[in-house]
Amino acid sequence: MSTVQKFSLRQRARSFRFAFSGVRSFFATQHNARIHAAATLLVVVAACYFHIGGAHLALLVVSIALVWAAELFNTAIEAICDFMHPGWHHRVKYIKDLAAAGVLVISVAACIVALIVFLPVVFGTPLQ
């Protein structure tokens, strides 16, 4: 039988510290993190420059967040695979390829959203 733990601000603060530690580790060890950071910066600068707001800005923010989350999950899946089976194995390759494909799908969708948002503005057609 499980016991319900009492709510603790200290425990919540610890969980945030763990999460930020993961973000630091991600940036320190993953080259793709730097690529995503550059793409995020580019989108943020473009959104500010073209005065993107409202629903279009929300779509950009959600797209950016999804790409970051997908890359973090992909990194976690790869780390688990490497820990569980350090050598090469066709099943581990399959798992890692699927996780990377998830990042690719989200990234392509984010690029499509960016094109939908920015192309009309760049070519002089204001957003509706």
Side-chain angles (χ1 to χ4, degrees):
M1 191 162 152
S2 68
T3 60
V4 177
Q5 289 184 333
K6 188 175 177 182
F7 179 82
S8 164
L9 285 176
R10 182 173 299 196
Q11 289 294 70
R12 299 297 60 82
R14 281 185 69 203
S15 67
F16 276 96
R17 280 197 307 270
F18 294 146
F20 286 117
S21 175
V23 170
R24 279 191 303 277
S25 296
F26 178 67
F27 276 100
T29 62
Q30 301 301 309
H31 297 292
N32 286 346
R34 296 175 198 118
I35 294 168
H36 290 304
T40 298
L41 183 61
L42 179 67
V43 170
V44 169
V45 168
C48 291
Y49 180 80
F50 290 113
H51 306 288
I52 304 298
H56 292 101
L57 182 60
L59 285 171
L60 292 172
V61 169
V62 169
S63 295
I64 290 168
L66 286 172
V67 170
W68 281 105
E71 190 63 53
L72 286 160
F73 288 133
N74 178 54
T75 301
I77 289 167
E78 287 184 354
I80 290 168
C81 287
D82 291 344
F83 178 76
M84 298 301 291
H85 197 290
W88 188 91
H89 192 279
H90 69 280
R91 287 186 179 168
V92 170
K93 179 190 180 314
Y94 175 71
I95 293 165
K96 288 181 170 187
D97 288 351
L98 288 176
V103 176
L104 179 64
V105 168
I106 292 291
S107 297
V108 168
C111 288
I112 292 169
V113 168
L115 290 172
I116 291 169
V117 170
F118 289 117
L119 280 181
V121 177
V122 169
F123 290 109
T125 307
L127 295 172
Q128 306 267 338

